[in-house]
Amino acid sequence: MIVKANENDVKEIISNAVEAVQEATGYTFKPSQAQMRDIIQRILDHGGYYLILKEKSYLKGWILLDISKDYFKQQNIGFIYEVYVLPKYRGKGYSKELIKAALEDLYAQGCNEIERNICSTNFYKEIGFVNHRSELIY
């Protein structure tokens, strides 16, 4: 089941955040737990939020989203900061499920364009993102 994260879910995400970011950056960025907590908190304080994939009480993965306003186009733009599936749950299509849920959620909130901050270009092209000015958008 994919739902919006509550406070306890966010704490669990933060406890796994260092590994998630290290994997996402090819282990070139090695933040401390405190740095990750601060980065995540800043995003959440400015309206960002997590959708999580949970079965029973087990967190399997998450996606970090945000919405900003493009004042020139007068539209909301959705942004995907991070998608992460815990290692023991990989290979089951959970990343795609999280992205699909995120896209539905962002479109429901009036986002006509969605950008991502993730390096797996082929993965995103496979699910419908296209190159636009050196970024992938959906």
Side-chain angles (χ1 to χ4, degrees):
M1 173 168 47
I2 296 176
V3 297
K4 199 166 187 177
N6 63 34
E7 190 175 321
N8 288 330
D9 298 323
V10 171
K11 287 178 184 176
E12 189 173 354
I13 290 167
I14 289 171
S15 74
N16 289 285
V18 170
E19 180 66 24
V21 168
Q22 287 181 323
E23 279 186 36
T25 63
Y27 294 88
T28 59
F29 178 55
K30 297 178 182 178
S32 68
Q33 192 70 40
Q35 284 175 306
M36 287 311 306
R37 186 179 53 252
D38 290 345
I39 290 167
I40 290 167
Q41 195 59 55
R42 264 188 255 130
I43 293 168
L44 298 177
D45 288 347
H46 287 96
Y49 59 100
Y50 282 102
L51 295 181
I52 59 167
L53 177 63
K54 213 170 189 180
E55 193 171 296
K56 299 179 184 174
S57 61
Y58 299 103
L59 178 66
K60 292 183 173 188
W62 61 82
I63 187 164
L64 179 56
L65 308 173
D66 199 0
I67 297 173
S68 61
K69 182 80 169 182
D70 182 326
Y71 292 99
F72 292 110
K73 293 180 183 179
Q74 287 300 298
Q75 68 183 28
N76 289 333
I77 307 250
F79 196 79
I80 299 172
Y81 282 104
E82 170 188 37
V83 179
Y84 190 74
V85 174
L86 293 164
K88 66 182 177 181
Y89 300 112
R90 292 181 184 167
K92 298 177 180 169
Y94 293 146
S95 292
K96 288 181 183 177
E97 284 183 42
L98 285 162
I99 297 235
K100 182 180 176 192
L103 294 174
E104 290 172 6
D105 189 76
L106 292 168
Y107 281 129
Q109 294 187 66
C111 296
N112 298 323
E113 188 175 299
I114 298 166
E115 299 179 1
R116 61 90 182 123
N117 185 32
I118 299 146
C119 300
S120 304
T121 304
N122 290 334
F123 174 80
Y124 282 89
K125 286 182 180 177
E126 181 181 311
I127 60 173
F129 280 73
V130 295
N131 281 323
H132 179 69
R133 291 188 233 132
S134 77
E135 289 196 350
L136 287 175
I137 60 170
Y138 189 84

